[in-house]
Short mmCIF file of all heavy atoms in Angstrom, two decimals:
data_model
loop_
_atom_site.label_atom_id
_atom_site.label_comp_id
_atom_site.label_asym_id
_atom_site.label_seq_id
_atom_site.Cartn_x
_atom_site.Cartn_y
_atom_site.Cartn_z
N ALA A 30 -3.07 19.85 -14.08
CA ALA A 30 -3.24 20.05 -12.63
C ALA A 30 -3.83 18.81 -11.99
O ALA A 30 -3.42 18.41 -10.88
CB ALA A 30 -4.12 21.28 -12.38
N TRP A 31 -4.80 18.18 -12.65
CA TRP A 31 -5.41 16.97 -12.08
C TRP A 31 -4.37 15.86 -11.95
O TRP A 31 -4.31 15.16 -10.93
CB TRP A 31 -6.56 16.49 -12.95
CG TRP A 31 -7.17 15.23 -12.42
CD1 TRP A 31 -8.14 15.12 -11.46
CD2 TRP A 31 -6.82 13.88 -12.79
NE1 TRP A 31 -8.42 13.80 -11.20
CE2 TRP A 31 -7.62 13.02 -12.01
CE3 TRP A 31 -5.92 13.34 -13.69
CZ2 TRP A 31 -7.54 11.64 -12.11
CZ3 TRP A 31 -5.82 11.97 -13.81
CH2 TRP A 31 -6.63 11.12 -13.02
N ILE A 32 -3.54 15.68 -12.99
CA ILE A 32 -2.53 14.61 -12.95
C ILE A 32 -1.58 14.81 -11.78
O ILE A 32 -1.28 13.88 -11.03
CB ILE A 32 -1.77 14.56 -14.29
CG1 ILE A 32 -2.68 14.04 -15.40
CG2 ILE A 32 -0.53 13.67 -14.17
CD1 ILE A 32 -2.03 14.07 -16.77
N VAL A 33 -1.09 16.04 -11.62
CA VAL A 33 -0.11 16.31 -10.56
C VAL A 33 -0.75 16.16 -9.19
O VAL A 33 -0.18 15.53 -8.28
CB VAL A 33 0.49 17.72 -10.75
CG1 VAL A 33 1.39 18.06 -9.57
CG2 VAL A 33 1.26 17.80 -12.05
N LEU A 34 -1.92 16.75 -9.00
CA LEU A 34 -2.56 16.71 -7.68
C LEU A 34 -3.07 15.31 -7.33
O LEU A 34 -2.92 14.85 -6.19
CB LEU A 34 -3.72 17.71 -7.64
CG LEU A 34 -3.33 19.19 -7.75
CD1 LEU A 34 -4.56 20.07 -7.84
CD2 LEU A 34 -2.45 19.62 -6.57
N ALA A 35 -3.66 14.62 -8.30
CA ALA A 35 -4.19 13.28 -8.02
C ALA A 35 -3.09 12.27 -7.73
O ALA A 35 -3.31 11.30 -7.01
CB ALA A 35 -5.04 12.80 -9.20
N SER A 36 -1.89 12.52 -8.29
CA SER A 36 -0.80 11.56 -8.08
C SER A 36 -0.33 11.53 -6.63
O SER A 36 0.27 10.54 -6.19
CB SER A 36 0.37 11.91 -9.00
OG SER A 36 0.93 13.16 -8.65
N VAL A 37 -0.59 12.60 -5.88
CA VAL A 37 -0.16 12.65 -4.47
C VAL A 37 -1.36 12.67 -3.53
O VAL A 37 -1.23 12.99 -2.35
CB VAL A 37 0.73 13.89 -4.21
CG1 VAL A 37 2.04 13.77 -4.96
CG2 VAL A 37 0.01 15.18 -4.62
N ASP A 38 -2.55 12.32 -4.06
CA ASP A 38 -3.77 12.31 -3.26
C ASP A 38 -4.12 10.87 -2.91
O ASP A 38 -4.32 10.04 -3.79
CB ASP A 38 -4.91 12.94 -4.06
CG ASP A 38 -6.16 13.17 -3.22
OD1 ASP A 38 -6.20 12.66 -2.08
OD2 ASP A 38 -7.07 13.85 -3.71
N PRO A 39 -4.21 10.52 -1.63
CA PRO A 39 -4.56 9.14 -1.24
C PRO A 39 -5.99 8.77 -1.57
O PRO A 39 -6.33 7.58 -1.63
CB PRO A 39 -4.30 9.11 0.26
CG PRO A 39 -4.45 10.53 0.69
CD PRO A 39 -3.95 11.37 -0.45
N ALA A 40 -6.85 9.76 -1.79
CA ALA A 40 -8.26 9.49 -2.11
C ALA A 40 -8.64 10.25 -3.37
O ALA A 40 -9.63 10.99 -3.40
CB ALA A 40 -9.16 9.89 -0.95
N ALA A 41 -7.85 10.08 -4.41
CA ALA A 41 -8.06 10.83 -5.65
C ALA A 41 -9.35 10.42 -6.34
O ALA A 41 -9.74 9.25 -6.33
CB ALA A 41 -6.87 10.61 -6.59
N THR A 42 -10.01 11.40 -6.91
CA THR A 42 -11.20 11.16 -7.71
C THR A 42 -11.01 11.85 -9.06
O THR A 42 -9.94 12.40 -9.35
CB THR A 42 -12.46 11.72 -7.02
OG1 THR A 42 -12.35 13.14 -6.90
CG2 THR A 42 -12.63 11.10 -5.64
N VAL A 43 -12.06 11.85 -9.87
CA VAL A 43 -11.96 12.48 -11.18
C VAL A 43 -12.00 14.00 -11.09
O VAL A 43 -11.66 14.69 -12.05
CB VAL A 43 -13.10 11.96 -12.09
CG1 VAL A 43 -14.44 12.54 -11.65
CG2 VAL A 43 -12.84 12.27 -13.56
N ALA A 44 -12.40 14.53 -9.94
CA ALA A 44 -12.48 15.98 -9.75
C ALA A 44 -11.11 16.56 -9.44
O ALA A 44 -10.24 15.90 -8.83
CB ALA A 44 -13.46 16.32 -8.63
N VAL A 45 -10.89 17.80 -9.87
CA VAL A 45 -9.65 18.51 -9.59
C VAL A 45 -9.79 19.23 -8.27
O VAL A 45 -10.75 20.00 -8.06
CB VAL A 45 -9.31 19.52 -10.71
CG1 VAL A 45 -8.02 20.25 -10.40
CG2 VAL A 45 -9.23 18.82 -12.05
N GLY A 46 -8.86 19.00 -7.36
CA GLY A 46 -8.92 19.66 -6.07
C GLY A 46 -7.64 19.46 -5.28
O GLY A 46 -6.85 18.55 -5.57
N ILE A 47 -7.42 20.33 -4.31
CA ILE A 47 -6.24 20.22 -3.45
C ILE A 47 -6.44 19.03 -2.51
O ILE A 47 -7.47 18.94 -1.83
CB ILE A 47 -6.02 21.50 -2.64
CG1 ILE A 47 -5.90 22.71 -3.57
CG2 ILE A 47 -4.78 21.37 -1.78
CD1 ILE A 47 -4.71 22.65 -4.51
N PRO A 48 -5.49 18.10 -2.46
CA PRO A 48 -5.65 16.93 -1.57
C PRO A 48 -5.69 17.35 -0.10
O PRO A 48 -5.02 18.30 0.32
CB PRO A 48 -4.41 16.09 -1.87
CG PRO A 48 -3.90 16.58 -3.19
CD PRO A 48 -4.27 18.03 -3.27
N GLY A 49 -6.50 16.60 0.68
CA GLY A 49 -6.53 16.86 2.11
C GLY A 49 -5.22 16.49 2.78
O GLY A 49 -4.82 17.09 3.77
N SER A 50 -4.54 15.49 2.23
CA SER A 50 -3.22 15.09 2.71
C SER A 50 -2.42 14.61 1.51
O SER A 50 -2.98 14.17 0.50
CB SER A 50 -3.33 13.97 3.75
OG SER A 50 -3.97 12.83 3.19
N PHE A 51 -1.12 14.69 1.61
CA PHE A 51 -0.24 14.32 0.52
C PHE A 51 0.46 13.00 0.84
O PHE A 51 0.86 12.76 1.99
CB PHE A 51 0.80 15.42 0.26
CG PHE A 51 0.21 16.70 -0.26
CD1 PHE A 51 -0.24 17.68 0.62
CD2 PHE A 51 0.09 16.92 -1.62
CE1 PHE A 51 -0.79 18.86 0.16
CE2 PHE A 51 -0.45 18.10 -2.11
CZ PHE A 51 -0.89 19.07 -1.22
N THR A 52 0.63 12.19 -0.20
CA THR A 52 1.27 10.89 -0.02
C THR A 52 1.99 10.50 -1.30
O THR A 52 1.63 10.95 -2.40
CB THR A 52 0.24 9.81 0.33
OG1 THR A 52 0.91 8.57 0.51
CG2 THR A 52 -0.80 9.66 -0.78
N LEU A 53 3.00 9.67 -1.14
CA LEU A 53 3.72 9.11 -2.29
C LEU A 53 3.38 7.64 -2.50
O LEU A 53 4.06 6.96 -3.27
CB LEU A 53 5.23 9.28 -2.10
CG LEU A 53 5.75 10.72 -2.05
CD1 LEU A 53 7.26 10.72 -1.80
CD2 LEU A 53 5.45 11.47 -3.34
N ASP A 54 2.34 7.18 -1.84
CA ASP A 54 1.97 5.77 -1.95
C ASP A 54 1.57 5.39 -3.37
O ASP A 54 1.77 4.24 -3.79
CB ASP A 54 0.82 5.45 -0.98
CG ASP A 54 1.26 5.49 0.47
OD1 ASP A 54 2.49 5.45 0.71
OD2 ASP A 54 0.38 5.57 1.36
N ASN A 55 0.96 6.32 -4.09
CA ASN A 55 0.58 6.01 -5.47
C ASN A 55 1.80 5.70 -6.32
O ASN A 55 1.77 4.77 -7.14
CB ASN A 55 -0.20 7.18 -6.07
CG ASN A 55 -1.54 7.39 -5.41
OD1 ASN A 55 -2.21 6.44 -5.02
ND2 ASN A 55 -1.93 8.65 -5.25
N PHE A 56 2.87 6.46 -6.13
CA PHE A 56 4.10 6.20 -6.89
C PHE A 56 4.73 4.88 -6.43
O PHE A 56 5.25 4.12 -7.24
CB PHE A 56 5.09 7.35 -6.71
CG PHE A 56 4.69 8.60 -7.42
CD1 PHE A 56 4.02 9.61 -6.76
CD2 PHE A 56 4.98 8.78 -8.77
CE1 PHE A 56 3.64 10.77 -7.40
CE2 PHE A 56 4.62 9.94 -9.43
CZ PHE A 56 3.94 10.95 -8.74
N THR A 57 4.70 4.64 -5.13
CA THR A 57 5.27 3.39 -4.61
C THR A 57 4.54 2.17 -5.18
O THR A 57 5.17 1.15 -5.50
CB THR A 57 5.18 3.37 -3.08
OG1 THR A 57 5.83 4.53 -2.55
CG2 THR A 57 5.85 2.13 -2.51
N THR A 58 3.24 2.29 -5.33
CA THR A 58 2.45 1.18 -5.84
C THR A 58 2.74 0.88 -7.30
O THR A 58 2.83 -0.28 -7.71
CB THR A 58 0.94 1.46 -5.66
OG1 THR A 58 0.67 1.71 -4.28
CG2 THR A 58 0.10 0.29 -6.13
N VAL A 59 2.90 1.92 -8.11
CA VAL A 59 3.08 1.71 -9.55
C VAL A 59 4.54 1.46 -9.95
O VAL A 59 4.80 0.99 -11.06
CB VAL A 59 2.54 2.91 -10.36
CG1 VAL A 59 1.07 3.13 -10.06
CG2 VAL A 59 3.34 4.17 -10.09
N LEU A 60 5.47 1.77 -9.06
CA LEU A 60 6.88 1.58 -9.39
C LEU A 60 7.28 0.12 -9.22
O LEU A 60 8.04 -0.25 -8.34
CB LEU A 60 7.76 2.49 -8.53
CG LEU A 60 7.80 3.95 -8.96
CD1 LEU A 60 8.59 4.79 -7.97
CD2 LEU A 60 8.41 4.09 -10.36
N THR A 61 6.76 -0.71 -10.09
CA THR A 61 7.08 -2.14 -10.13
C THR A 61 7.44 -2.51 -11.56
O THR A 61 7.06 -1.81 -12.51
CB THR A 61 5.89 -2.99 -9.66
OG1 THR A 61 4.79 -2.80 -10.57
CG2 THR A 61 5.46 -2.61 -8.26
N PRO A 62 8.20 -3.59 -11.75
CA PRO A 62 8.56 -3.98 -13.12
C PRO A 62 7.35 -4.22 -14.02
O PRO A 62 7.34 -3.78 -15.17
CB PRO A 62 9.37 -5.27 -12.90
CG PRO A 62 9.92 -5.14 -11.53
CD PRO A 62 8.87 -4.42 -10.73
N ASP A 63 6.34 -4.90 -13.52
CA ASP A 63 5.19 -5.25 -14.37
C ASP A 63 4.36 -4.03 -14.75
O ASP A 63 3.87 -3.93 -15.87
CB ASP A 63 4.30 -6.27 -13.65
CG ASP A 63 4.99 -7.62 -13.50
OD1 ASP A 63 5.92 -7.89 -14.28
OD2 ASP A 63 4.60 -8.40 -12.60
N LEU A 64 4.18 -3.10 -13.81
CA LEU A 64 3.31 -1.96 -14.06
C LEU A 64 4.00 -0.82 -14.78
O LEU A 64 3.37 -0.13 -15.60
CB LEU A 64 2.72 -1.44 -12.74
CG LEU A 64 1.64 -2.30 -12.08
CD1 LEU A 64 1.22 -1.68 -10.76
CD2 LEU A 64 0.43 -2.43 -13.00
N THR A 65 5.28 -0.58 -14.51
CA THR A 65 5.92 0.63 -15.01
C THR A 65 7.21 0.37 -15.78
O THR A 65 7.36 0.80 -16.94
CB THR A 65 6.22 1.60 -13.85
OG1 THR A 65 4.99 1.94 -13.20
CG2 THR A 65 6.89 2.86 -14.36
N PHE A 66 8.17 -0.31 -15.18
CA PHE A 66 9.50 -0.38 -15.76
C PHE A 66 9.52 -1.12 -17.10
O PHE A 66 10.10 -0.63 -18.09
CB PHE A 66 10.48 -1.04 -14.78
CG PHE A 66 10.65 -0.26 -13.50
CD1 PHE A 66 10.52 -0.87 -12.27
CD2 PHE A 66 10.93 1.10 -13.54
CE1 PHE A 66 10.68 -0.15 -11.10
CE2 PHE A 66 11.09 1.82 -12.38
CZ PHE A 66 10.96 1.21 -11.15
N VAL A 67 8.90 -2.28 -17.17
CA VAL A 67 8.88 -3.04 -18.44
C VAL A 67 8.09 -2.30 -19.51
O VAL A 67 8.57 -2.16 -20.65
CB VAL A 67 8.33 -4.46 -18.21
CG1 VAL A 67 8.13 -5.18 -19.55
CG2 VAL A 67 9.28 -5.26 -17.32
#
């Protein structure tokens, strides 16, 4: 649950909780050749 919720949380912390707002910026940031694809 933490992995799924934190992945769409713009202010994710180590605590498990429903995000105040949802975003895909975390995926956009990591979807690069150096960080993910390679």
Side-chain angles (χ1 to χ4, degrees):
W31 178 85
I32 290 175
V33 174
L34 294 174
S36 65
V37 293
D38 189 350
T42 64
V43 72
V45 180
I47 303 297
S50 60
F51 293 88
T52 181
L53 296 178
D54 290 343
N55 293 324
F56 289 96
T57 304
T58 303
V59 301
L60 283 175
T61 63
D63 292 338
L64 287 177
T65 300
F66 297 129
V67 172

